[in-house]
Amino acid sequence: MTSSTHGRRGSYAVGIARRQKIVEAAARRFAHEGYRRTALTRIAEDVGITEGGLLHHFRSKKHLLLAVMEHRFTAEAAWWSRLPDDAGGRDILLAMVAATERHLEEPGLIELFVLTSAEAADPESAAHALFAERYQSAVDELARQLAAAMDLGTVREATDCPAVARECIAVSDGLQLQWVISGGTLDLAGAVRLHADRIARTILPDGGGL
């Protein structure tokens, strides 16, 4: 293997690492300052590069936005994957509330989610494929966890797990939109807990809430 090949691979690895640092820095800025209020120069400074260097990796702020959303979806999926395999139905519903509380720690990312989800409705949008994959994987994973809980006897038999999963995700996402529109005055975690409590009374064998 030639030294030039080593050089290309080394340069590629450096580029991937720098790209990841840019996304992480942007996620922090967007989460706490908001997308529109964050200048690319501030993100570049956080990484120790120029704005031109940042634009070498991401052609525009919108491209960086999509990368941040993908980063958020990956982190969220990793968080849910840490739920124990023997988690009961009540545990899963409580995890939904906990996930919402985590989102509220990064309010700017809730705004980003609402902003990009609206754009994703356009099949020609770059966000469309990202959100389509996110929704499918999120529904599949939550349905799988509920089905496993049903096998353990902590979710009622014959529960339509995919339908419940789809409803829970739809309500959570819809409430995030209402939270943004309300200027953050809506009790988002409380609203998600109220819905999860209603679902609990429907699918848990003891008929009890959270």
Side-chain angles (χ1 to χ4, degrees):
M1 188 178 296
T2 66
S3 59
S4 61
T5 301
H6 280 296
R8 285 195 299 272
R9 288 187 175 179
S11 177
Y12 180 76
V14 169
I16 292 295
R18 177 158 293 172
R19 182 183 175 90
Q20 183 63 22
K21 286 184 178 179
I22 292 171
V23 171
E24 291 172 354
R28 288 192 296 270
R29 288 284 182 182
F30 292 165
H32 299 291
E33 298 175 12
Y35 173 72
R36 300 188 188 282
R37 294 184 295 276
T38 301
L40 289 179
T41 52
R42 300 293 298 277
I43 299 170
E45 288 170 359
D46 290 345
V47 184
I49 60 177
T50 65
E51 183 176 346
L54 185 153
L55 291 172
H56 172 74
H57 295 279
F58 298 96
R59 290 181 292 167
S60 68
K61 193 176 182 181
K62 183 171 287 189
H63 284 84
L64 180 55
L65 166 61
L66 289 177
V68 168
M69 289 312 305
E70 185 172 9
H71 174 73
R72 184 202 187 207
F73 293 158
T74 300
E76 189 170 351
W79 184 84
W80 274 100
S81 71
R82 291 195 289 273
L83 201 65
D85 291 337
D86 61 350
R90 184 171 279 107
D91 297 325
I92 295 168
L93 294 173
L94 286 171
M96 287 171 45
V97 180
T100 302
E101 292 170 343
R102 288 178 62 251
H103 292 163
L104 285 167
E105 294 174 0
E106 300 177 315
L109 292 186
I110 299 179
E111 295 178 5
L112 285 189
F113 172 75
V114 171
L115 177 68
T116 50
S117 61
E119 182 180 342
D122 179 4
E124 301 299 320
S125 166
H128 182 80
L130 174 63
F131 272 70
E133 191 280 331
R134 177 260 176 178
Y135 273 106
Q136 190 60 59
S137 61
V139 168
D140 288 348
E141 177 59 17
L142 183 52
R144 183 195 67 77
Q145 292 173 340
L146 289 168
M150 185 164 59
D151 290 340
L152 293 172
T154 60
V155 166
R156 286 181 180 172
E157 291 186 14
T159 293
D160 188 340
C161 295
V164 172
R166 192 170 292 107
E167 176 186 338
C168 289
I169 292 168
V171 169
S172 175
D173 290 357
L175 286 171
Q176 288 183 70
L177 169 61
Q178 293 183 44
W179 180 86
V180 170
I181 292 174
S182 74
T185 60
L186 173 72
D187 180 2
L188 180 57
V192 170
R193 176 179 285 276
L194 186 64
H195 176 257
D197 182 73
R198 184 181 69 77
I199 293 294
R201 296 176 190 280
T202 301
I203 71 170
L204 299 186
D206 61 11
L210 296 183

